[in-house]
Amino acid sequence: MRVPRIARPRGKTLLYDAVAGVSVAMVGIPQSLAYAELAGMPPVAGLYAGALPPVLAALFASSPYLQTGPVAITALLTFGALSTVATPASPEYVGLGLALALVIGVVRVLLGLLRAGWLAYLMSQPMLLGFVPAAAVLIAASQVPKALGVAPPDEGNEIVAAVTSLAHPADWSPAALAVTALTALVIVGGRRLHALFPGVLVAAALGVAISAAGLYSGPVVDSVPSGLLPFTLDDIPWDRVPSLILPGVIIALIGFTEAASIARRFAAEDGSRWNSNREFVGQGVANLAAAAVGGMPCGGSFSRSSVNRMSGARTRWSGAFTGLTVLAFLPFAAVLEPLPLAVLGAIVIVAVTGLLRFRPLVRLWRVSPPQAMIAWATFLATLLLAPRLDLAVLLGVGLSLAVFLWRLLQLEVDVTARDGELTLAPRGVLWFGTAQRLDSLLHDLLATHPETVRLVLDLTRLGRIDTTGALVLRSILEQAHGARLETELRGVPPQSRQLTDRVLTPRTSPLE
């Protein structure tokens, strides 16, 4: 892949990008803390992942709007991959988080350099329609104890933990409930006032002020180190990296699917081009940087990318300005220590409400029952197998491939018999998996219609014919000639015409 030429933005464009980048950072700083908590990482890991990674991602980015950093889905997948092998927030867990970011980064960079951006589309739309809302349910459920101000129950599944917390109202903290409600009101109400209202920033500032004033005694962030970025490659447990390859590949693909959908949507609206291979490299480099500076696995954020676009971003350098703003904030990060965890929980819950889309799941039953089965099976597997979301994803991918193969094996044949003429019109793909069905069907039909004197094979509705299919067609025609039937072959698919002509013409057939 050719490395993009680094052009110098003009002064006015640079100003637009700077304003947009700083605006995104104001939203991204509190969100980064919240998503680090969701991933089971120390809050400061979110800040580190929102600092240097977006700066380096900007060097390779294809989209002028895509903002890189901690995101909800990737954070949940990170927790699912690591929480079963280490205690969240422990040194062992943090080291594994760095190793996972490294694996994700290597996978994405390699896919981009190999021009394998198409691999992101292996995650079928029905599978994602089931996975994303189920993941959003788990994300929201995981934040319920924080929002209620109670200690998280010792339950393996987030939904069970949320239900347990909700079932004991005597344990709820009135102060946490008030802070949660205030945070949600500020964020949602701010959006209604103006799309660019920094509701997340204002809510975080109010939370810090309330806690610092002694009006809140519940759990807070507590420890956010101030200072420059650390160098953490020495903290990676290199001997355990191989065990993270499978979850790393899954997160690399699913996380990139989110980023790709953002970039494609904005490119379509602007009528501009977008290069998935460049974006793969940019997202990969961002994760490599996160592994090197104490961050966490990261990806493209839809909410922050939208803020970036609405704030007037012009080029990919707006992402670099976002990272530089977070870097400049790091020496003062300790001011966030009084921030109530209830605020972070509310930020996450409000952020994922837009992912709770169930109507497409219901509509899918009317469009395609097999695809709906994939979506609903993935949805239920994601909820039931949590935190092992990698197993749910593999199940969804496996079902998608199974349905695809099942469809390939279906060859529908419309049969018309009239005045001694038998017409067969197959629909689907005539390949080695379905060709014998056509041959067997013809034998049965000729036995049923002995008065047949003319055979017509109408291939108009076939998508493709492979070599086996062409040979079966030849066999059918030869048998018809032997039975002294008049034959006609019509509507050979253009993409298969050359192969069919060569096989059906004995003198030129390479198989003679």
Side-chain angles (χ1 to χ4, degrees):
M1 186 197 74
R2 187 179 65 179
V3 177
R5 182 174 61 89
I6 301 178
R8 293 183 179 179
R10 296 179 180 179
K12 190 174 182 180
T13 299
L14 201 64
L15 179 61
Y16 280 121
D17 287 339
V19 171
V22 172
S23 300
V24 172
M26 296 299 100
V27 175
I29 289 173
Q31 276 191 348
S32 296
L33 295 175
Y35 293 148
E37 284 274 342
L38 174 61
M41 299 288 285
V44 73
L47 291 179
Y48 293 158
L52 185 61
V55 175
L56 297 183
L59 297 175
F60 301 91
S62 172
S63 171
Y65 309 117
L66 186 62
Q67 282 283 338
T68 302
V71 291
I73 296 292
T74 298
L76 179 65
L77 288 168
T78 298
F79 181 81
L82 304 181
S83 60
T84 57
V85 295
T87 303
S90 67
E92 178 189 12
Y93 188 98
V94 172
L96 290 173
L98 299 176
L100 185 60
L102 178 71
V103 172
I104 295 169
V106 170
V107 170
R108 287 182 177 170
V109 169
L110 286 177
L111 291 177
L113 293 176
L114 294 174
R115 297 183 177 273
W118 56 269
L119 283 174
Y121 300 98
L122 286 179
M123 303 296 167
S124 70
Q125 191 64 23
M127 189 274 286
L128 292 173
L129 281 177
F131 175 77
V132 172
V137 170
L138 292 174
I139 291 170
S142 70
Q143 302 304 301
V144 168
K146 289 190 184 75
L148 300 178
V150 300
D154 188 17
E155 304 287 350
N157 188 286
E158 286 82 355
I159 295 179
V160 176
V163 171
T164 302
S165 299
L166 291 170
H168 297 84
D171 298 335
W172 297 355
S173 165
L177 287 171
V179 168
T180 297
L182 177 62
T183 301
L185 180 64
V186 170
I187 297 174
V188 177
R191 288 177 185 169
R192 297 193 174 186
L193 289 175
H194 195 281
L196 292 177
F197 181 82
V200 174
L201 176 65
V202 172
L206 286 174
V208 169
I210 291 172
S211 179
L215 302 177
Y216 179 81
S217 57
V220 296
V221 172
D222 193 32
S223 177
V224 183
S226 298
L228 301 178
L229 290 171
F231 181 77
T232 54
L233 285 179
D234 293 338
D235 298 334
I236 295 177
W238 295 97
D239 59 321
R240 300 182 67 177
V241 168
S243 65
L244 298 175
I245 291 177
L246 178 59
V249 170
I250 291 175
I251 296 174
L253 291 175
I254 287 190
F256 184 77
T257 300
E258 184 181 11
S261 65
I262 298 167
R264 280 201 312 269
R265 172 178 170 179
F266 290 153
E269 292 177 357
D270 289 352
S272 58
R273 293 183 177 181
W274 174 73
N275 188 311
S276 61
N277 297 313
R278 275 178 53 182
E279 214 66 69
F280 246 133
V281 173
Q283 295 291 302
V285 169
N287 277 276
L288 293 177
V293 297
M296 56 179 280
C298 52
S301 165
F302 181 77
S303 61
R304 297 197 296 273
S305 297
S306 298
V307 170
N308 192 36
R309 188 168 184 246
M310 289 187 293
S311 299
R314 295 290 189 271
T315 72
R316 64 181 188 268
W317 298 112
S318 57
F321 279 109
T322 298
L324 291 173
T325 303
V326 177
L327 278 171
F329 173 76
L330 289 180
F332 314 99
V335 300
L336 295 173
E337 290 183 348
L339 182 63
L341 292 184
V343 172
L344 298 184
I347 289 174
V348 174
I349 292 173
V350 173
V352 301
T353 52
L355 301 177
L356 297 171
R357 298 189 296 268
F358 301 106
R359 188 174 299 175
L361 279 172
V362 176
R363 286 202 302 258
L364 197 56
W365 277 114
R366 298 194 297 268
V367 176
S368 172
Q371 300 298 326
M373 181 193 70
I374 296 172
W376 281 99
T378 305
F379 178 84
L380 293 174
T382 302
L383 296 180
L384 297 175
L385 295 177
R388 290 301 306 273
L389 302 187
D390 53 333
L391 298 180
V393 171
L394 290 176
L395 175 65
V397 172
L399 285 174
S400 299
L401 293 175
V403 169
F404 172 72
L405 290 174
W406 174 78
R407 286 189 179 278
L408 280 181
L409 290 171
Q410 304 308 303
L411 184 70
E412 302 295 333
V413 183
D414 296 329
V415 179
T416 304
R418 182 186 305 165
D419 300 329
E421 180 177 284
L422 184 62
T423 302
L424 276 65
R427 290 180 284 122
V429 178
L430 193 63
W431 63 302
F432 67 85
T434 59
Q436 293 303 322
R437 168 170 163 70
L438 184 63
D439 189 36
S440 300
L441 179 63
L442 178 62
H443 282 287
D444 294 340
L445 289 171
L446 290 177
T448 308
H449 301 278
E451 75 281 2
T452 301
V453 295
R454 175 178 168 81
L455 175 65
V456 178
L457 294 177
D458 185 357
L459 311 182
T460 306
R461 286 178 287 181
L462 280 183
R464 180 174 57 84
I465 302 173
D466 75 350
T467 302
T468 302
L471 287 171
V472 168
L473 287 176
R474 173 177 158 179
S475 174
I476 289 173
L477 293 176
E478 288 177 346
Q479 293 174 47
H481 290 152
R484 298 183 179 180
L485 299 180
E486 182 183 348
T487 60
E488 180 184 354
L489 189 67
R490 67 170 71 142
V492 177
Q495 64 271 25
S496 304
R497 185 168 295 136
Q498 182 178 7
L499 170 65
T500 306
D501 289 345
R502 294 181 65 191
V503 172
L504 296 182
T505 305
R507 290 184 180 178
T508 60
S509 173
L511 302 171
E512 288 295 322

